[in-house]
Amino acid sequence: MADLLCGQVLSFAGDPFDQGEAAARHLAQGAVLVEAGKIVAMGEAAALRAAHPQARVHDYGQALISAGFVDAHVHYPQTAIIASWGKRLIDWLNLYTFPEEMRFADRAYADEIAARYLDLIVARGTTTVCSYATIHPESVDAIFTAAKSRGMRLYAGKTCMDRNAPDGLRDTAKSAYDQSKQLLQKWHGQDRLSYVITPRFSPTSTPEQLAALGALWKENPACLMQTHLSEQTDEIDWVHSLHPQSRDYLDTYETQGLLGEGALYGHAIHLTAREKARLIEAGASLVHCPTSNMFIGSGLFDMDLARHLPVGLATDTGGGSNFSMLHTMAAAYEVAQLRGQSLHPAQLWWLATQGSARALRAQDRIGNIAPGMEADLVVVDLASTPAIEQATRRAETVWQQIFPTIMMGDDRAIRATWVNGTPLHEA
Ligand code: GUN
Ligand code: ZN
């Protein structure tokens, strides 16, 4: 049976980095018709109600119906260490991250955190993530199993490291290749799951391991490849000393077959002119992680890049300090302000939905509301707290209605989250 969700409806007919707010489509009294996991129609509520009298109606009043949020870079195994105090990147990894990731050798613990993580993000309106797992194949099985049971579209891969990580958290060039290949064959394309080839970053991989994963990617070009790039300046200095033959950080990937369409680079803050030009030429995607970049003290991403190559938005849980994509949009706004760029609410919302979906090369399936797209939706209460409600009272445009929720909204703003045509979370 079909479901008809009624409320304000926000979708995109274009890219607001090219067209500004004209790229957005807003229906004040709209509706979305959903059946068998797909969006069948979107339009005026009255017309859709009349045309589909049998559909089950979900009247969300003045709440805003949007595509579910797409978080393009997370580490689900870092759920329990989110908001750990006082360290910058390399010390933060050694002190908090690696000891926690060690625990994922235990499948039961991996299952517990995978379930906890997905429940936390669905309650915040996120319907797809692209996640790093840990070195342990079991950690990949855990997150895919949890996503599958929830019907979610989810991207993940085994995080490969063969140096500069503690005992128990290192593989080799060969075992990274073999285990990644096995996991890819087991999971890629099953239901809504996609395997992502995942070298953690150049400091924790030898050139041999990067080359092995480059070879695996060449054999499986339909897969995405994710890694980190130019997050902190001392990290970049370390990369130069570990890879003295490379021209720059990107070159450590490029020379091993880890640059091309379908490559996703997290952070990408301190890029050289050559790196920017090569990234654009190669058709790679970047992922902006604004709360993480402030929390770990990394720097300010240049959002002008979004005019030249696909840019996604991400929490970077748990280097990022918040699971919510609303909070992440607010952080992206503030980071841009510090660079003298004012992002329009349409641009922020697009980054958290279609922009991230495009970075994942899934823009035709998720991240927007249109007939034929998958029915992953979030219903957002635009007056979820007294502070937000009073700020919207004089709103004359939909953007003035939405912006206070972007800046001040949290999980209380999430009225419902629909995944694969089913309400997975209802407030
Ligand atoms: N660089 C390499 N690994 C990580 C990680 O887990 N988090 C962040 N923020 N940066 C990284
Ligand atoms: Zn990361």
Side-chain angles (χ1 to χ4, degrees), residues 79-390:
T79 296
I81 57 143
I82 194 167
S84 291
W85 182 83
K87 295 293 165 198
R88 291 171 65 85
L89 180 59
I90 305 305
D91 292 334
W92 175 85
L93 284 172
N94 287 317
L95 186 66
Y96 298 120
T97 307
F98 290 161
E100 178 64 14
E101 291 192 7
M102 212 88 91
R103 301 182 65 176
F104 286 72
D106 174 4
R107 174 66 195 264
Y109 186 68
D111 285 336
E112 178 193 334
I113 298 295
R116 186 192 304 174
Y117 173 72
L118 293 183
D119 291 346
L120 282 166
I121 61 160
V122 167
R124 283 153 186 77
T126 298
T127 48
T128 286
V129 300
C130 184
S131 184
Y132 291 64
T134 67
I135 200 96
H136 314 96
E138 299 84 348
S139 72
V140 176
D141 292 336
I143 191 71
F144 278 144
T145 302
K148 184 177 161 128
S149 73
R150 289 163 177 77
M152 295 176 76
R153 181 163 291 289
L154 187 129
Y155 296 77
K158 168 191 143 75
T159 298
C160 301
M161 300 195 272
D162 68 344
R163 64 169 161 176
N164 294 317
D167 287 347
L169 221 50
R170 287 191 310 273
D171 48 17
T172 65
K174 177 162 171 31
S175 68
Y177 174 92
D178 291 344
Q179 292 177 340
S180 299
K181 182 173 175 172
Q182 251 169 26
L183 290 162
L184 188 161
Q185 289 172 344
K186 178 171 176 184
W187 290 108
H188 189 69
Q190 191 183 136
D191 291 2
R192 304 180 76 201
L193 309 174
S194 298
Y195 190 80
V196 186
I197 295 165
T198 308
R200 181 174 217 121
F201 67 155
S202 291
T204 50
S205 287
T206 59
E208 293 69 39
Q209 181 170 77
L210 296 174
L213 294 172
L216 182 63
W217 195 25
K218 195 168 184 191
E219 291 153 18
N220 298 276
C223 286
L224 300 175
M225 186 289 301
Q226 63 181 343
T227 189
H228 297 84
L229 178 66
S230 296
E231 182 175 359
Q232 288 208 341
T233 50
D234 18 3
E235 172 210 13
I236 297 169
D237 294 341
W238 196 26
V239 168
H240 285 142
S241 69
L242 288 166
H243 297 265
Q245 71 291 355
S246 294
R247 285 172 288 186
D248 47 39
Y249 198 156
L250 183 64
D251 200 37
T252 63
Y253 299 129
E254 185 174 355
T255 50
Q256 308 302 347
L258 295 171
L259 171 66
E261 285 183 13
L264 275 171
Y265 300 100
H267 305 282
I269 300 167
H270 309 282
L271 299 175
T272 65
R274 188 202 85 89
E275 288 174 315
K276 286 182 195 173
R278 280 298 293 137
L279 287 162
I280 293 166
E281 202 172 52
S285 301
L286 304 183
V287 188
H288 179 27
C289 308
T291 71
S292 171
N293 296 342
M294 291 191 280
F295 184 75
I296 314 187
S298 303
L300 307 176
F301 181 81
D302 178 7
M303 198 42 90
D304 277 345
L305 288 163
R307 295 175 206 282
H308 305 288
L309 79 178
V311 173
L313 186 66
T315 60
D316 189 29
T317 294
S321 54
N322 203 295
F323 295 102
S324 165
M325 288 298 281
L326 287 173
H327 192 82
T328 305
M329 287 184 234
Y333 179 77
E334 291 172 344
V335 165
Q337 285 287 71
L338 287 169
R339 294 191 61 111
Q341 307 158 337
S342 295
L343 295 179
H344 191 278
Q347 293 173 324
L348 294 166
W349 207 276
W350 183 87
L351 281 170
T353 53
Q354 235 339 236
S356 280
R358 194 181 64 167
L360 299 174
R361 305 171 74 79
Q363 70 272 22
D364 298 331
R365 295 173 151 178
I366 56 169
N368 204 0
I369 299 179
M373 294 193 69
E374 297 172 4
D376 291 345
L377 301 164
V378 61
V379 184
V380 182
D381 179 352
L382 298 177
S384 60
T385 68
I388 294 173
E389 190 278 327
Q390 62 85 40

Side-chain angles (χ1 to χ4, degrees), residues 19-30:
Q19 301 163 25
E21 64 182 88
R25 294 284 175 272
H26 172 248
L27 296 167
Q29 287 173 323

Side-chain angles (χ1 to χ4, degrees), residues 37-72:
K38 291 276 168 59
I39 295 167
V40 180
M42 171 188 71
E44 295 295 340
L48 281 177
R49 274 185 191 244
H52 301 276
Q54 316 294 351
R56 212 164 17 209
V57 173
H58 306 260
D59 190 351
Y60 290 114
Q62 286 301 298
L64 183 76
I65 303 169
S66 154
F69 300 132
V70 179
D71 189 342

